[in-house]
Amino acid sequence: MIDLTDLGARVRSLRRDRGLTLQELAGVAMVSASMLSSVERGRKAPTVVVLARVADGLGVPLGELIAPGGSRVIVRRAGAQDVIDEPGGWRREILTPVVPGVNFEWIRTTLPPGADPGPFPAYAPGSHEFVLVESGELRLEIGAEGVTLRAGDSVYFPEDVTHRYTCTGAVPCVYYVAALIMRPRGNR
């Protein structure tokens, strides 16, 4: 299990060793300064993507940040999962622990009826996404293609295209995304 306080101290120490301010590292790593500050204070468990960006920004292997002793078992307790309440009433829960060298995320999302979070930019070629709908109805636009999914339906697509999720039913839609990400993408 990753100790968030120890992780934050390692990030802060490496940042200071390199003579970087919080804002400078945030810019190089493409991570918000507030997220970086929360990580350094041990208040947030960052996703794999965020930690990979920070490691790249610091010029160190991801494993050096999260497992300096080399533990092979990484646990992320329910209370340590990131829960992000987005504008428009939708919610994302990052379920996966951070694993050295693996750019994988498993996310549970709840969209209220009619919610459309907007387009998500493409990841680098070689990225993959799997979606499983737990309940409700989801319209998924993948590039120029579209598909409607209902409870129990799943889909795969290469995540190198812009995509969009919309709750088209009368009840909230709950779905899971498993994403293998080759490199961090832009803003989301």
Side-chain angles (χ1 to χ4, degrees), residues 71-89:
S71 175
R72 295 177 47 102
V73 177
I74 301 169
V75 176
R76 187 172 201 181
R77 301 286 179 204
Q81 293 171 354
D82 287 332
V83 177
I84 305 155
D85 290 313
E86 301 282 1

Side-chain angles (χ1 to χ4, degrees), residues 94-138:
I94 312 299
L95 305 173
T96 44
V98 174
V99 179
V102 178
N103 293 326
F104 175 82
E105 286 186 332
W106 187 13
I107 302 166
R108 180 178 193 259
T109 302
T110 304
L111 293 178
D116 178 354
F120 285 77
Y123 274 113
S127 299
H128 307 276
E129 185 164 311
F130 298 84
V131 178
L132 170 71
V133 175
E134 179 180 295
S135 61
E137 185 176 282
L138 180 70

Side-chain angles (χ1 to χ4, degrees), residues 11-108:
V11 170
R12 183 181 311 106
S13 176
L14 288 166
R15 176 179 60 78
R16 288 179 176 165
D17 287 349
R18 284 151 180 76
L20 296 171
T21 67
L22 193 69
Q23 290 74 20
E24 288 170 336
L25 178 56
V28 171
M30 297 184 305
V31 174
S32 73
S34 64
M35 169 59 91
L36 190 54
S37 175
S38 293
V39 169
E40 285 193 359
R41 289 180 288 130
R43 297 185 189 254
K44 263 202 171 176
T47 65
V48 170
V49 171
V50 168
L51 271 184
R53 288 178 180 181
V54 171
D56 287 347
L58 291 168
V60 298
L62 180 59
E64 186 176 321
L65 283 183
I66 57 177
S71 175
R72 295 177 47 102
V73 177
I74 301 169
V75 176
R76 187 172 201 181
R77 301 286 179 204
Q81 293 171 354
D82 287 332
V83 177
I84 305 155
D85 290 313
E86 301 282 1
W90 61 288
R91 168 178 277 208
R92 289 186 297 160
E93 300 167 67
I94 312 299
L95 305 173
T96 44
V98 174
V99 179
V102 178
N103 293 326
F104 175 82
E105 286 186 332
W106 187 13
I107 302 166
R108 180 178 193 259

